């Protein structure tokens, strides 16, 4: 019996060590993903920015500053940038919750809902359309790391974000396929995608009820 107990204890120790190793590897991988996102945000990326007064989609180069204290955007990569302090950000809205999508959803050239997000402060919002779902994932999850915590602001984990995105695809009537806009489309402010707003409106309302219920 003593020998059996020793074997069981040794087995438990081995299992615990394996579990700790797996957790350490997962934590290291997560840290690497976070760093990759931050690096991409420092390098900057092209988005379409919605100008609300004229309802115009303008190409803008967006980046975060080296100290992660400001979000900057400009019409060119090498000219003067406008900026927004990270400390002023109240929340980051994604998909059909964003001002971006709600302003354009019933237009003839509405953007894919899964590419839209809005960054809101008390005085303004930065309303963006990403080039791809990977790009919007990098920025949505990356902003989690640099925007100061507020109890009222929703923070997506990677798993929660991907679930939300999958549901938005269903809402948008596009199944599991990924959306992507070419850089030329972003810089020209145009997109070849058109759809029926009346047909998709019912699907959007149904999914919104799912989230509110």
């Amino acid at each position: 019996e003593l020998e059996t107990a020793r074997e069981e204890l040794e087995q438990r120790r081995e299992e615990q060590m394996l579990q700790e190793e797996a957790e350490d590897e997962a934590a290291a991988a997560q840290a690497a993903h976070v760093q990759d996102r931050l690096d991409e945000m420092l390098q900057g990326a092209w988005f379409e920015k919605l100008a609300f007064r004229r309802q115009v989609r303008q190409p803008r180069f967006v980046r975060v500053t080296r100290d992660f204290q400001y979000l900057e955007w400009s019409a060119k990569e090498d000219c003067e940038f406008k900026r927004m302090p990270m400390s002023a950000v109240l929340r980051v809205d994604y998909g059909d919750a964003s001002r971006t999508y709600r302003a354009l959803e019933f237009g003839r050239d509405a953007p894919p809902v899964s590419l839209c997000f809005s960054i809101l402060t008390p005085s303004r919002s930065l309303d963006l359309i990403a080039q791809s779902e990977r790009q919007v994932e990098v920025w949505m999850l990356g902003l989690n790391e640099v925007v100061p915590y507020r109890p009222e602001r929703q923070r997506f984990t990677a798993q929660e974000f991907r679930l939300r995105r999958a549901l938005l695809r269903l809402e948008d009537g596009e199944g599991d396929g990924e959306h992507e806009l070419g850089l030329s489309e972003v810089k020209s402010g145009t997109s070849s995608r058109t759809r029926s707003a009346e047909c998709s409106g019912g699907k959007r309302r149904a999914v919104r009820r799912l989230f509110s219920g």
Side-chain angles (χ1 to χ4, degrees):
E1 293 180 1
L2 181 59
E3 185 64 27
T4 301
R6 287 176 178 173
E7 290 177 356
E8 290 179 354
L9 180 60
E10 185 64 27
Q11 183 177 357
R12 289 176 184 175
R13 285 177 179 171
E14 290 179 0
E15 290 174 351
Q16 184 176 0
M17 289 178 60
L18 290 173
Q19 181 178 354
E20 290 175 354
E21 289 176 2
E23 291 174 353
D24 289 344
E25 289 177 1
Q30 178 62 25
H33 288 317
V34 170
Q35 189 59 53
D36 288 344
R37 295 182 193 116
L38 297 180
D39 288 344
E40 289 195 39
M41 294 170 71
L42 287 170
Q43 293 170 10
W46 283 96
F47 293 85
E48 283 185 294
K49 175 184 172 293
L50 178 63
F52 267 91
R53 291 181 181 177
R54 293 179 292 159
Q55 292 290 293
V56 174
R57 293 156 64 168
Q58 305 166 323
R60 290 293 181 267
F61 186 74
V62 184
R63 68 187 184 191
V64 297
T65 56
R66 305 301 298 183
D67 59 4
F68 295 103
Q69 296 300 307
Y70 292 91
L71 187 66
E72 299 183 324
W73 62 95
S74 176
K76 297 182 180 180
E77 297 183 37
D78 57 353
C79 66
E80 185 177 355
F81 281 74
K82 295 182 178 179
R83 56 170 41 186
M84 171 189 292
M86 292 292 187
S87 59
V89 175
L90 297 175
R91 67 179 192 270
V92 182
D93 293 336
Y94 173 60
D96 58 355
S98 68
R99 281 166 47 98
T100 311
Y101 187 71
R102 291 186 175 185
L104 300 171
E105 64 176 317
F106 295 116
R108 290 180 55 84
D109 196 27
V113 63
S114 59
L115 300 184
C116 299
F117 66 109
S118 295
I119 305 166
L120 294 94
T121 73
S123 60
R124 66 160 303 145
S125 68
L126 182 60
D127 305 291
L128 302 173
I129 305 168
Q131 294 185 56
S132 68
E133 291 186 352
R134 182 190 177 280
Q135 186 185 58
V136 76
E137 178 176 332
V138 165
W139 282 76
M140 284 293 301
L141 297 180
L143 286 168
N144 274 348
E145 306 299 327
V146 297
V147 174
Y149 172 75
R150 293 177 185 269
E152 67 273 18
R153 184 172 68 85
Q154 182 179 15
R155 287 173 58 91
F156 285 113
T157 65
Q159 184 177 5
E160 290 168 345
F161 175 82
R162 289 161 188 158
L163 174 60
R164 174 68 169 160
R165 181 175 62 194
L167 289 170
L168 287 174
R169 287 174 183 166
L170 293 175
E171 171 188 0
D172 208 31
E174 296 293 338
D176 294 329
E178 288 197 9
H179 293 297
E180 184 170 350
L181 298 180
L183 181 58
S184 60
E185 291 178 336
V186 172
K187 289 189 174 182
S188 67
T190 62
S191 171
S192 60
R193 180 178 181 270
T194 58
R195 61 191 178 90
S196 170
E198 292 183 359
C199 178
S200 60
K203 294 179 181 178
R204 287 194 294 273
R205 287 189 290 272
V207 174
R208 285 173 185 165
R209 286 196 297 271
L210 176 63
F211 277 104
S212 63

